[in-house]
Every structure is written in structure tokens, then in C-alpha cells.
Amino acid sequence: MARAGLTTERLTRAGAELADEVGFDRVTLSALARRFDVQVASLYAHVRNSGDLRTRIALLALDELAVRAADALAGRAGRDALAALGGVYRDYAREHPGRWAAAQVRLDPATAAASAGRRHAELTRAILRGYDLPEPDQTHAVRLLGSVFNGYVNLELGGSFDHSAPDTAQTWPRVLDALDALLRHWPAS
Amino acid sequence: MARAGLTTERLTRAGAELADEVGFDRVTLSALARRFDVQVASLYAHVRNSGDLRTRIALLALDELAVRAADALAGRAGRDALAALGGVYRDYAREHPGRWAAAQVRLDPATAAASAGRRHAELTRAILRGYDLPEPDQTHAVRLLGSVFNGYVNLELGGSFDHSAPDTAQTWPRVLDALDALLRHWPAS
DNA sequence: TGCGTTTGCCTAAAGGTTTTAGGCAAATTA
DNA sequence: TAATTTGCCTAAAACCTTTAGGCAAACGCA
């Protein structure tokens, strides 16, 4: 009987594709087994359980995002850099809605520490070099930028902006203008 | 045989409590039936299916949030109003994590239109009366504020801010300062 | 090349969730 | 009190998760 050539890596990758196709909450070991034409129980040799698969997909997504972000930020500063980083999140979420959903799951502390999470924070912090913020405020600004990008992408993707004019193609650049202005004139404590 | 006195209303309310206790994604008709000491099939007389229940919980959460927001905003303007609205979302998410998660689900257009979603947008827009923005930018600002509040609450609740100092008790007021400053000095197109 | 060991995928089985169909009895109304 | 509605029931099929134990393919080494 020929072997299917399963590995944790391949399962994770296929799980991510499945998530993009049918939604992250519908990623199931059954569906994955079907995709490899294999018995469900066989997957348990490569993945601890279905939760384990989900966190692996989440880590994959966080990593892919960090790679794209690093790439997009190279050689950019100021508003350009804001547009680049925000654009990475926005485009990724549109291209890979399932992976994006995966990237939103809460990870336990140990897993989170080993994730690309910190890299995201550092990439965001790199943008601040183009502005002039004192140290405690840099962290606050990193968190604010993360909140805006994350929130905007989720609301836009969730359709929250669909019921009012103008459409988000108009709003997005103005949000970037606003963030740029805010960082240039950051209020003192 | 005594009746349990099920109604759609009671099921929705109990489902919301269950969500807060065990997490929104673990709200199941089985668990709900157990809670009422009733057979699962009995629930189908009051709720179309498990997705229907989830949607109802989402609508309940959006409504409760809108009520709290309207209450908190009464008589406030400027930074005070920003703090009040943001505080409502933040506190609600902490008190009712399951309901908050429910409020994030994507609703189909018809359901969304009948939800408290528009009220949220209008309450946010009311805050802008304390500032001075031309019309197209008001919508952009509403979306920006929604993004920040939504994103901040989700990241904070998801533990994304746990791995860096200072803690979010320091960051939150500075974020409000920043938003206040931004709205007072909104950049021109 | 052949032998032993590891590893990959299998069958079997138990337990939980979702949903539909059809039935009896309690509550409501006339 | 009789007729009707309504509430909750049993039964059953379909799907997902997880564990246990087994056989055969692939690999490592003499």
C-alpha cells in the first residue's frame, strides 16, 4: 500500500489552504484526511490533536506575515512605511482570510513567545525611527498602530464598513494620513 | 412531565452566559440542553440551528454594547467621550469575553442591517461633534476610532500586550490622548 | 543483499455534536 | 370539558475527535 507522505509540515500547509477555502473554524482533521485520501487516525502521528493543528496554522500565518512585512518595510520610512506595513496586513487578510483568522487566535504564553509575534512588534517599532518619540511612548505607539491595523482589517473584512459610504478605498489612505500626522505631532504626557 | 419553559429569549440569554463561561466557540446546543436539563432536539423548536443561536447571541451582545455606550456618552464630549466609549468596549470585553467574541462574528447583510451596528457608528459619530471635521472625513474618523477600539480590545484580551513592558494600564490613557490630539489636529486632504 | 528496527498508515471502537422526523402529553382556548 | 396548540420527548442518521493496537513499507547497517 503506497504511503501518502504525510508530515507535520505538509499537514500544516494543507490545513492553511483549507482554512482559506472554507474558513478557519471549519478546518477539521476529517476534511484534512479526506484531502490526503487517508484515514483520520493517521493524522495523529503527525499532529497532537485538532487544536495542535490550528496553532500550527496560526504560527505559519504569523510567520508569513512577518516575512512579508520585513520585505515591504525595507528601504521605506515615514508615511511610506506605514502604508507598506498596513498594506501587508490588509492584502494578506484578503488573499488568505483563513490564515488571517488563524493569526487571531490566542496562543498560550510559551507558544506565543516562540511565535513571530515579537518580530511584528519590532517591525512596527522600526517605523517609529522615522518619527521622534521618547521611549515610553514608543511602546504605546507600537500598540496603537497594531490596534489600528488589526482593527481596520478585521472590521473591513467583516463587512462592518459595507453599510456606509464612502467605501474603504477612500478611507484607507486617509487613515494612513491620520496616523502619519499623529506620529509627527505626538502629544506630550 | 413538567415543562422547562424554554423560549428563544431564554436560550439566547443562557447561551450568552455559557459563552462567557466556556468561550464562544464552545457554545453548543448539547451544552445548552444540558443546562436546561432537556433533550437537545427540544431546542430546535425555539432556535433554527446552532448557527442561529450564535447569531442571536451576537445580536444580544451588540445591543447590550450599544445600550452601555449610549449611557456612557450622555453628557460627555471631547476626550471624556472618547474615554467613555472606549471604556465601554474594554470593560464589556473583560466582563463578557464570550459575548465580545460573539459580537465579532460576520453577520449576513440582512441581519447586520437589523443589528445595533448602525447605532454604534452613530454613537461614535456623536463624539466627533466635539471636534471639527468636514463631512467626508467624519466617516473616515468613525472608522478609524472603531478600528482602534476594536483592535486594542482584541489584542489586549488576546494577550498580545503581555510580553512587553509597560503594561496596558499605562498605554490605554495615552492612546486616548493620542486620539484626542489627532481629532483636534486632523490633517487636511 | 538481507535482517532488524523504525515509522507510516491501517482497522476498530467509543464518545460527543448536529439535525430531522414523528409522537405523546401538558397547556391553552372555546 | 372538548378541541387545539404547543412543548418536550424518543429514535436515528451523519459527522467529528481521539485512543489502542496491528501490519507492512522504508530505512540503517552488516
Side-chain angles (χ1 to χ4, degrees):
Chain A
M1 206 170 288
R3 298 194 173 187
L6 305 181
T7 63
T8 305
E9 167 86 21
R10 288 189 65 196
L11 289 180
T12 305
R13 206 158 285 287
E17 285 164 22
L18 188 59
D20 288 335
E21 289 165 24
V22 305
F24 182 61
D25 48 343
R26 284 188 195 162
V27 170
T28 116
L29 291 181
S30 297
L32 205 53
R34 239 173 272 132
R35 180 162 293 220
F36 281 95
D37 200 31
V38 135
Q39 295 298 315
V40 185
S42 306
L43 305 184
Y44 283 82
H46 306 278
V47 140
R48 218 174 13 261
N49 51 41
S50 90
D52 182 37
L53 174 68
R54 280 157 194 277
T55 77
R56 285 178 194 279
I57 297 173
L59 293 174
L60 173 71
L62 287 172
D63 195 73
E64 286 183 349
L65 269 169
V67 169
R68 288 198 187 195
D71 203 49
L73 283 180
R76 294 189 210 273
R79 211 206 95 120
D80 267 7
L82 286 173
L85 185 61
V88 163
Y89 291 129
R90 217 159 80 104
D91 294 345
Y92 189 83
R94 273 201 283 235
E95 283 173 43
H96 301 294
R99 283 154 148 105
W100 174 261
Q104 312 296 308
V105 305
R106 169 159 215 168
L107 302 171
D108 67 287
T111 311
S115 78
R118 168 155 277 118
R119 252 190 294 159
H120 285 272
E122 275 159 17
L123 287 165
T124 306
R125 189 174 289 262
I127 294 181
L128 298 182
R129 283 203 283 267
Y131 299 91
D132 189 40
L133 301 194
E135 177 39 56
D137 283 318
Q138 283 201 19
T139 302
H140 303 322
V142 166
R143 291 172 175 176
L144 174 56
L145 289 177
S147 298
V148 175
F149 290 151
N150 192 286
Y152 192 94
V153 169
N154 281 328
L155 292 179
E156 182 182 35
L157 205 65
S160 299
F161 298 154
D162 291 352
H163 307 287
S164 54
D167 73 34
T168 64
Q170 314 279 321
T171 295
W172 181 243
R174 296 298 289 137
V175 164
L176 295 174
D177 290 342
L179 291 177
D180 177 59
L182 174 59
L183 293 174
R184 280 190 285 102
H185 307 110
W186 187 262
S189 306
Chain B
M1 208 169 289
R3 298 196 175 188
L6 304 181
T7 64
T8 304
E9 166 86 21
R10 288 189 65 197
L11 289 180
T12 304
R13 206 158 285 286
E17 285 164 22
L18 188 59
D20 288 335
E21 290 165 24
V22 306
F24 182 61
D25 48 345
R26 285 190 193 160
V27 169
T28 129
L29 291 180
S30 297
L32 205 53
R34 240 172 270 133
R35 181 162 293 221
F36 281 95
D37 201 31
V38 136
Q39 296 298 315
V40 186
S42 306
L43 306 184
Y44 283 81
H46 306 278
V47 140
R48 210 167 29 252
N49 52 39
S50 93
D52 182 36
L53 174 67
R54 281 155 192 276
T55 305
R56 287 179 192 279
I57 297 173
L59 293 174
L60 173 71
L62 286 172
D63 195 73
E64 286 183 349
L65 269 169
V67 170
R68 288 196 186 196
D71 204 48
L73 282 180
R76 295 188 210 274
R79 211 207 93 120
D80 267 8
L82 287 173
L85 185 62
V88 163
Y89 291 128
R90 219 158 79 104
D91 295 345
Y92 189 84
R94 274 200 283 237
E95 282 173 45
H96 300 295
R99 284 156 149 102
W100 174 261
Q104 311 296 310
V105 304
R106 171 159 215 169
L107 303 171
D108 66 288
T111 311
S115 78
R118 169 155 276 119
R119 252 191 295 158
H120 285 272
E122 275 161 16
L123 288 165
T124 306
R125 188 174 291 262
I127 294 181
L128 299 182
R129 283 202 284 266
Y131 299 91
D132 190 39
L133 301 194
E135 177 40 56
D137 283 319
Q138 284 201 21
T139 302
H140 303 322
V142 166
R143 291 172 175 176
L144 174 57
L145 289 177
S147 299
V148 175
F149 290 151
N150 192 286
Y152 192 93
V153 169
N154 281 327
L155 292 179
E156 182 183 35
L157 205 67
S160 299
F161 298 155
D162 291 352
H163 306 289
S164 55
D167 73 36
T168 63
Q170 314 280 320
T171 295
W172 180 244
R174 297 296 289 137
V175 164
L176 295 174
D177 290 341
L179 292 177
D180 177 58
L182 173 59
L183 293 174
R184 279 189 286 103
H185 307 109
W186 187 262
S189 307

